[in-house]
Amino acid sequence: MSFIEKARRAQIVKCAIETIAEVGYTQASLGEIAKRAKISKGVISYHFASKDELLEQICIEYYIAWQSYISPRLEAQKSPKEMLRVYIESNLAFVAENRQHFFAVLELVSKNITAGGELQLSADHDEAVLVPIENILAQGVQEGLFRKFTKSSARVMALTIRNAIDGFTMELIRKPHLDVQEYTRELVTIFDISTKN
Amino acid sequence: MSFIEKARRAQIVKCAIETIAEVGYTQASLGEIAKRAKISKGVISYHFASKDELLEQICIEYYIAWQSYISPRLEAQKSPKEMLRVYIESNLAFVAENRQHFFAVLELVSKNITAGGELQLSADHDEAVLVPIENILAQGVQEGLFRKFTKSSARVMALTIRNAIDGFTMELIRKPHLDVQEYTRELVTIFDISTKN
DNA sequence: TTATTTTTTGTACGATTGTACTAAAATAAA
DNA sequence: TTTATTTTAGTACAATCGTACAAAAAATAA
């Protein structure tokens, strides 16, 4: 892949994220994205096989960035209790620093859920996101730090934590001046209390 | 409003909900809705001023049905602790019984958020949904049943509860055979623990 | 019945979309 | 420089959408 190709793809992805975040998925046509990037519509078609490939790239890049941010912070912790705290803290911090990207991905995923056949992809993503939380919970139970969780009650708890994080972002988009630190502290408190033994 | 008009509007709204739930918002064109309702596209235009009015009607009817279901159950409770339990239980039960309708509304609301100017409506809806939870929390604090909540920490808790409910529905759509009763029990437990004094 | 209004159908139109395609421009290779 | 390749701009096209509209059909009123 040439230098120009890499640079263009990065530019187009960046601009597509901004466009989706600002005008919404339904209004984010290739023409609109191109206009904002000050390039011709044909350039996008040249560098991306289809619009779908562009949108998929947005999701892939977010997932990679998210992994890179969360994983090392999580692995630096010993206690499951600290891991859960850091998981919440770093997720909210990451999301607050990447609101547009997160929002774009959320829009795309919610469209894909409805797209019928692509439900599997959503399920895979879910598993990749939920399992790490479940592992923290399982470890905490094993060490006697957390209250008892069965497999399915740990699943509900993991989902609730994820929903809290995702919902925080939606609130952040609705109210951009939200106090992120305070929100983070409260969420940590809630899930610290509700997991403790 | 004539008998035919009422019946047709009800039929079209019902069919629009099913269509959105089954093929997604982006694929739910008036043509597709009409085809499934086995009527001409023009009939929809005749009974609804625009597509937007039809979609708005879907939201209005859901909100009314939700209110009618939740309010009496909530008002039958004395203790804030019981109110919180019943709020979670009845919300999950209602949503499980109205998955398609809920999902359609979620799709529409998430589109409206992106639609720019309509952000106010979403904020109003939020307030209408969050304030009742905050009131329960405030009452619980006052009676000494719940731990201390400031105005803003009560807001975070209310949001977290709402996100847990909304997120449950998304999970229910992804996994239709989810054990609703068990999920409900777990959620009640989580928020019972995390609010208790 | 006949007359009038309401309702439905089917089509057409303007707007918008993603993609295909051609010619021009820019860049790299010779 | 000349040649070849990559990249860009701009246009055209087929498909799809919401809406408008005219004529047919159905329902209601007289």
Side-chain angles (χ1 to χ4, degrees):
Chain A
M1 204 188 288
S2 74
F3 171 78
I4 288 180
E5 177 121 29
K6 272 195 284 188
R8 272 281 188 237
R9 282 178 67 102
Q11 177 207 19
I12 292 168
V13 166
K14 181 167 175 284
C15 193
I17 291 169
E18 291 169 2
T19 305
I20 293 174
E22 284 173 27
V23 305
Y25 169 79
T26 48
Q27 305 285 347
S29 64
L30 289 186
E32 180 65 24
I33 295 170
K35 200 174 75 185
R36 286 161 171 260
K38 286 168 188 151
I39 56 177
S40 164
K41 224 169 43 162
V43 181
I44 301 180
S45 293
Y46 178 75
H47 290 284
F48 291 90
S50 66
K51 191 183 186 184
D52 278 347
E53 199 211 320
L54 169 58
L55 301 181
E56 197 187 341
Q57 192 62 27
I58 293 178
C59 297
I60 291 173
E61 289 190 11
Y62 182 82
Y63 185 69
I64 291 173
W66 178 76
Q67 279 273 15
S68 307
Y69 189 89
I70 304 294
S71 287
R73 283 167 177 78
L74 216 55
E75 286 162 9
Q77 309 303 319
K78 317 261 192 241
S79 157
K81 193 175 140 81
E82 292 301 289
M83 288 170 77
L84 185 58
R85 176 182 60 80
V86 167
Y87 183 85
I88 295 171
E89 285 176 354
S90 52
N91 264 283
L92 263 57
F94 178 75
V95 127
E97 291 299 313
N98 301 274
R99 304 178 194 199
Q100 288 193 326
H101 203 165
F102 178 94
F103 182 68
V105 171
L106 212 64
E107 285 261 286
L108 298 178
V109 167
S110 92
K111 297 319 163 299
N112 272 358
I113 284 174
T114 71
E118 324 261 354
L119 202 127
Q120 183 61 28
L121 189 125
S122 160
D124 285 346
H125 186 264
D126 253 30
E127 296 310 311
V129 164
L130 290 181
V131 167
I133 310 180
E134 292 177 324
N135 288 341
I136 296 175
L137 294 175
Q139 193 179 334
V141 170
Q142 201 181 337
E143 298 183 14
L145 289 166
F146 293 164
R147 63 182 171 92
K148 276 272 172 291
F149 284 108
T150 67
K151 209 167 188 177
S152 63
S153 70
R155 160 60 50 118
V156 174
M157 179 56 96
L159 266 165
T160 304
I161 292 170
R162 256 333 293 181
N163 292 333
I165 292 166
D166 295 347
F168 156 79
T169 315
M170 295 309 297
E171 182 71 1
L172 194 57
I173 285 157
R174 288 187 291 257
K175 294 163 189 165
H177 298 98
L178 198 67
D179 187 333
V180 177
Q181 292 218 6
E182 185 190 19
Y183 202 115
T184 304
R185 253 185 290 118
E186 291 300 329
L187 274 194
V188 168
T189 301
I190 290 172
F191 291 108
D192 185 55
I193 295 176
S194 59
T195 53
K196 101 167 56 173
N197 203 340
Chain B
M1 204 188 289
S2 73
F3 170 78
I4 287 179
E5 177 122 28
K6 271 194 284 187
R8 273 281 189 235
R9 282 179 65 102
Q11 176 206 19
I12 292 167
V13 166
K14 180 166 175 286
C15 193
I17 291 169
E18 291 169 0
T19 305
I20 293 173
E22 284 173 26
V23 305
Y25 169 79
T26 49
Q27 305 285 347
S29 66
L30 290 185
E32 180 64 25
I33 296 171
K35 200 174 73 184
R36 285 161 170 261
K38 285 167 189 153
I39 56 178
S40 164
K41 223 168 45 162
V43 183
I44 302 180
S45 294
Y46 178 75
H47 290 285
F48 292 91
S50 65
K51 190 182 185 183
D52 278 347
E53 199 211 319
L54 169 58
L55 301 181
E56 198 187 340
Q57 193 60 29
I58 293 178
C59 296
I60 291 173
E61 289 190 11
Y62 181 83
Y63 185 69
I64 291 173
W66 177 77
Q67 280 272 15
S68 308
Y69 189 89
I70 304 293
S71 287
R73 283 167 176 78
L74 216 54
E75 287 162 8
Q77 309 304 317
K78 315 262 193 239
S79 157
K81 192 175 139 80
E82 291 300 288
M83 288 170 77
L84 185 58
R85 177 182 60 81
V86 167
Y87 182 84
I88 294 171
E89 285 176 354
S90 52
N91 264 282
L92 262 56
F94 178 74
V95 126
E97 291 299 312
N98 300 274
R99 303 176 194 200
Q100 287 193 326
H101 202 165
F102 179 94
F103 182 68
V105 171
L106 213 64
E107 285 262 285
L108 298 177
V109 167
S110 91
K111 298 318 163 296
N112 273 357
I113 285 175
T114 73
E118 325 262 354
L119 200 129
Q120 184 61 28
L121 189 126
S122 160
D124 285 346
H125 186 264
D126 253 29
E127 296 309 312
V129 164
L130 290 181
V131 167
I133 309 180
E134 292 175 325
N135 288 342
I136 296 175
L137 294 174
Q139 193 180 333
V141 171
Q142 201 180 338
E143 297 183 14
L145 288 167
F146 292 164
R147 63 184 171 92
K148 277 271 172 292
F149 283 109
T150 67
K151 209 168 189 174
S152 62
S153 70
R155 160 59 49 116
V156 174
M157 178 57 97
L159 267 165
T160 304
I161 292 170
R162 260 329 296 181
N163 292 334
I165 292 166
D166 294 346
F168 156 78
T169 315
M170 294 310 297
E171 182 71 0
L172 194 57
I173 286 156
R174 287 187 292 257
K175 294 164 190 164
H177 297 99
L178 199 67
D179 186 334
V180 178
Q181 292 217 9
E182 184 189 19
Y183 202 114
T184 304
R185 255 185 289 117
E186 292 300 329
L187 273 193
V188 168
T189 301
I190 290 172
F191 292 109
D192 185 55
I193 295 176
S194 60
T195 53
K196 102 167 56 172
N197 202 341

